[in-house]
Amino acid sequence: MSSRQSVRHPSHNHPLRGHKCEAKDEIICSGCDLDLVGAAFKCTKSSDCDYFLHKSCFELPRETNHKSHQPHTLTLIYSPKSTYTCNACGEYGSSFTYNCSICQYDVHVGCVSMPETVKREDHPHPLTLLYGSPYNQPGLVSKCDVCEDIVPDNLWSYYCKECDYATHLHSCKKEEEAKKEDQKGEGSKNSMNSELAAMLEAQREVERMQIEMHLAMQSALISKKANKAALNCI
Ligand SMILES: [Zn+2]
Ligand SMILES: [Zn+2]
Ligand SMILES: [Zn+2]
Ligand SMILES: [Zn+2]
Ligand SMILES: [Zn+2]
Ligand SMILES: [Zn+2]
């Protein structure tokens, strides 16, 4: 499909068009609420409408039979009437959800597509996706071996049976913070930095305004000149 061609998606009122999202644009997918980098669709009225979809979210099937919810088919709902709690990760959601209306069962579209096995750098064996507690015994609580927080019985987790090693479904807060620290890197050597950054940002804002004013004045001058030139022609 050419990127000029527009397409319709039932989740949105305006036509969409193919788009490639760059990491630096920091775009969030309007379907799954996750970061969007790479192949995507974008609202053609993008000046006032920040609607973006992963190509994969655009192509999600309207219905799915998922192992996590054997008895019923899950239906993709584009705009749930209210926020929901995801039965896989326990977090809130307000965009696309795979829903079972009979059981009030909701799963983020991002969670539905989590792989059945994953490999972690810090664990020698592949981990298996579980749709509930690894333990059959009531009262036995599963603890995440990465962040040491509890993994609630009703939520999904990754598990190695051999080592009785469990993790939360998604990367834990601890890991996220470590990632953020890494990204900040050099920049965070002293506590003055954030204040300094705010000050620089303010300064840049003033400069931007000055430039805009300057440009506005210049174009006013030019149009005056143009008017004069036009007058001279008469
Ligand atoms: Zn998405
Ligand atoms: Zn739109
Ligand atoms: Zn979820
Ligand atoms: Zn159900
Ligand atoms: Zn964890
Ligand atoms: Zn293991």
Side-chain angles (χ1 to χ4, degrees):
M1 193 193 68
S2 109
S3 65
R4 298 248 154 254
Q5 230 170 344
S6 66
V7 286
R8 288 271 172 184
H9 192 262
S11 66
H12 196 65
N13 277 334
H14 309 132
L16 309 177
R17 166 187 317 131
H19 185 74
K20 196 164 171 288
C21 293
E22 315 257 351
K24 66 169 167 49
D25 299 333
E26 296 184 358
I27 289 163
I28 302 288
C29 172
S30 310
C32 63
D33 283 334
L34 301 173
D35 290 342
L36 207 178
V37 179
F41 287 92
K42 177 189 183 185
C43 179
T44 49
K45 300 207 188 318
S46 51
S47 51
D48 41 41
C49 194
D50 264 334
Y51 197 84
F52 288 89
L53 285 181
H54 282 108
K55 191 166 176 287
S56 55
C57 287
F58 183 93
E59 289 164 352
L60 286 169
R62 226 27 229 271
E63 290 189 332
T64 183
N65 292 303
H66 197 260
K67 274 193 184 168
S68 68
H69 198 71
Q70 299 278 17
H72 307 119
T73 300
L74 302 178
T75 307
L76 180 58
I77 294 180
Y78 299 122
S79 20
K81 285 187 192 74
S82 58
T83 57
Y84 61 89
T85 307
C86 173
N87 284 75
C89 68
E91 302 282 333
Y92 286 113
S94 55
S95 311
F96 290 12
T97 169
Y98 273 112
N99 169 269
C100 171
S101 57
I102 303 163
C103 308
Q104 304 292 325
Y105 183 88
D106 279 290
V107 185
H108 287 124
V109 296
C111 290
V112 151
S113 46
M114 291 303 280
E116 281 183 30
T117 54
V118 290
K119 194 84 195 60
R120 281 186 69 92
E121 271 178 28
D122 53 4
H123 194 81
H125 315 115
L127 306 179
T128 309
L129 180 59
L130 296 185
Y131 304 119
S133 167
Y135 314 119
N136 290 324
Q137 258 169 288
L140 210 51
V141 200
S142 173
K143 232 173 154 192
C144 171
D145 285 290
V146 177
C147 68
E148 282 167 11
D149 267 348
I150 285 170
V151 184
D153 279 359
N154 53 330
L155 299 184
W156 301 5
S157 59
Y158 280 110
Y159 189 62
C160 171
K161 202 172 175 189
E162 221 177 310
C163 314
D164 188 25
Y165 175 97
T167 74
H168 281 105
L169 179 62
H170 298 296
S171 51
C172 312
K173 267 191 205 114
K174 195 175 120 186
E175 289 177 294
E176 288 292 324
E177 272 156 25
K179 235 191 273 171
K180 256 183 227 153
E181 278 306 310
D182 268 2
Q183 275 165 7
K184 268 194 265 167
E186 311 272 289
S188 54
K189 272 184 190 141
N190 62 56
S191 61
M192 287 294 286
N193 256 351
S194 60
E195 280 166 55
L196 197 68
M199 217 173 73
L200 283 174
E201 184 49 41
Q203 213 169 12
R204 270 200 290 271
E205 185 58 32
V206 170
E207 274 165 26
R208 260 200 296 273
M209 272 160 56
Q210 279 172 344
I211 290 168
E212 268 164 34
M213 242 160 62
H214 185 75
L215 284 176
M217 262 159 57
Q218 246 180 0
S219 68
L221 276 176
I222 290 166
S223 63
K224 246 186 239 165
K225 267 189 217 154
N227 278 343
K228 249 190 220 159
L231 282 175
N232 285 343
C233 284
I234 301 171

